[in-house]
Each structure stands twice: as structure tokens, then as C-alpha cells.
Amino acid sequence: YRAQCPVRDPEEISGALINVVKHLGNLSYRVWEKMLEKKEIKYTPVILDPNTAGVRLTLSKDLTSIIYNDFRQKLPDPPGRFDVWRGILGSEGFSSGKHYWDVEVGDGTRWNLGVVRESIKRKGLFPLMPEGGVWSIELHNGKFTAKTSPHAFLSVGRKPQRIRVQLDWDRGELSFSDPSNNTPLYTFKDTFTEKLFPFFCTSDNRVPLKIYFHPCWT
């Protein structure tokens, strides 16, 4: 006879950490994956990894946007979760090739976007600069800055509503631009030696950071 043994959903197990991206992966993401496999598309769809999210971030159900909260959520504290920086990583990293993704920043007033190396320190404060394993630009106090040492202030004529992040791992380049008018903002040039993950950070409790999905055929 067949034993009747109920199987509990992983989400019902208190405190359990699961691969939420795989567990909740939506149909649109799977379609994008198939298109990428066939090399029909250059755009890289980024799905956020909730197990890396800072405790003051609220993540949308489809894992594509974050917003800052003034309170700390009670969450499991795995080694991969940021505990001070209000950041989160993409679920997939890159160690070769060219990739780009667009982020809707809207009228947000404080955010940081870029990539981090896989081995980055997740606990405590660390510099959001290349020497800390982070290549990024920031909007803070109305000023756009490339997080170099020293910081490079960016001349931005019109405030972008969307930021394009473009990684060429093999050439060691990470570029930022305004896709609405193809205006370049800044390009980092470095030698990448390990896998890089998309990085998103916000301290704005009014306007979320949101991954923008759109078809971009080759």
C-alpha cells in the first residue's frame, strides 16, 4: 500500500531558509531565461535574492523591487545577509561575458547601484568602493557620485528616471548610463577576478528601486 505521509511546504518551517528565487520564480523570468539560452536577447533579467536583503528592506512578491523601512524586520541571519548596509544582491552572478540591466529609480532621493564581488563582506560596514569589492554610483543629497577613491562627482543634466548598468566582465568595464537618451554617466575600468553580483541599496522609504523588464532583441 502507499503510505499517506503529508509533506510540509518549506515556507511553513519556522526560520527555514529556502531558495526563494527557485521556489517562487515567476513565469516571466523563466521565459527570459529561455530567451537568454537561445542568445535571442542581450538584456539580463535580474531577480533579487531575499536571503541577502538587509533587515530594513521590504521586497516585492515578484522579487523585482525593494523599498526602505524605518524598522528592523525579524529575519533569519545567514552569513549572506547584509546586516548594516541597506542592500540586496541579484540572485545570479557573472564571471564572464556582457550583461546589462535597467533599474527604475524614479524620483528616489538616496540609492546606490552597481556590482559586488562574490566574496564581499556582508556583515558590518565596509566601503562601497572598489577596494571594498564594490563598483557603484550613488545619488545622495541631490548629487550623483561614482564611488571611487576619492569620489568622482558626476555631471548630470537631467535627473534620470532609470539607470542602465552594463557589465563587460572580460574587458573589466562597468558602465552606467541614462537609457532614455543614451547619456553615459560613468565607467569603471578594473580587472575582475571573481564572480560579480548586481547590487542595489536604498535609504528611501517613499520610492522603491525596481528592476525594469523590457524586450531588447538583437
Side-chain angles (χ1 to χ4, degrees), residues 132-145:
V134 184
W135 294 261
S136 67
I137 64 170
E138 176 185 73
L139 173 63
H140 181 47
N141 290 334
K143 296 180 179 179
F144 290 85
T145 307

Side-chain angles (χ1 to χ4, degrees), residues 120-141:
I120 193 173
K121 176 183 176 183
R122 309 288 175 85
K123 306 301 182 184
L125 287 172
F126 53 88
L128 298 182
M129 295 185 288
E131 52 262 41
V134 184
W135 294 261
S136 67
I137 64 170
E138 176 185 73
L139 173 63
H140 181 47
N141 290 334

Side-chain angles (χ1 to χ4, degrees), residues 19-176:
N19 187 335
V20 182
V21 175
K22 182 180 292 186
H23 190 65
L24 298 179
N26 54 53
L27 178 61
S28 61
Y29 179 56
R30 299 305 166 200
V31 172
W32 281 93
E33 277 190 322
K34 294 299 181 183
M35 296 168 89
L36 281 171
E37 288 173 2
K38 296 178 181 180
K39 301 183 184 293
E40 294 176 347
I41 197 164
K42 292 181 180 179
Y43 186 80
T44 301
V46 174
I47 295 297
L48 303 173
D49 183 353
N51 290 332
T52 66
V55 293
R56 292 183 184 271
L57 296 181
T58 294
L59 184 61
S60 64
K61 290 183 179 180
D62 62 2
L63 309 180
T64 62
S65 70
I66 54 169
I67 194 165
Y68 171 73
N69 287 306
D70 294 324
F71 58 89
R72 293 175 62 90
Q73 301 174 86
K74 293 183 179 180
L75 299 171
D77 188 26
R81 187 185 301 284
F82 293 104
D83 65 346
V84 176
W85 285 116
R86 295 137 188 183
I88 189 171
L89 302 184
S91 61
E92 183 180 0
F94 312 108
S95 55
S96 64
K98 299 177 182 179
H99 313 270
Y100 79 86
W101 52 96
D102 289 350
V103 185
E104 291 184 6
V105 295
D107 293 322
T109 58
R110 188 172 182 182
W111 47 257
N112 187 290
L113 301 172
V115 299
V116 304
R117 63 190 179 201
E118 184 173 26
S119 63
I120 193 173
K121 176 183 176 183
R122 309 288 175 85
K123 306 301 182 184
L125 287 172
F126 53 88
L128 298 182
M129 295 185 288
E131 52 262 41
V134 184
W135 294 261
S136 67
I137 64 170
E138 176 185 73
L139 173 63
H140 181 47
N141 290 334
K143 296 180 179 179
F144 290 85
T145 307
K147 303 291 281 185
T148 56
S149 182
H151 296 343
F153 293 99
L154 309 182
S155 177
V156 179
R158 184 182 67 178
K159 184 178 182 295
Q161 295 292 295
R162 191 184 305 159
I163 300 293
R164 175 162 294 172
V165 186
Q166 184 166 321
L167 171 67
D168 187 333
W169 194 97
D170 301 294
R171 295 184 63 181
E173 293 184 357
L174 180 72
S175 300
F176 299 86

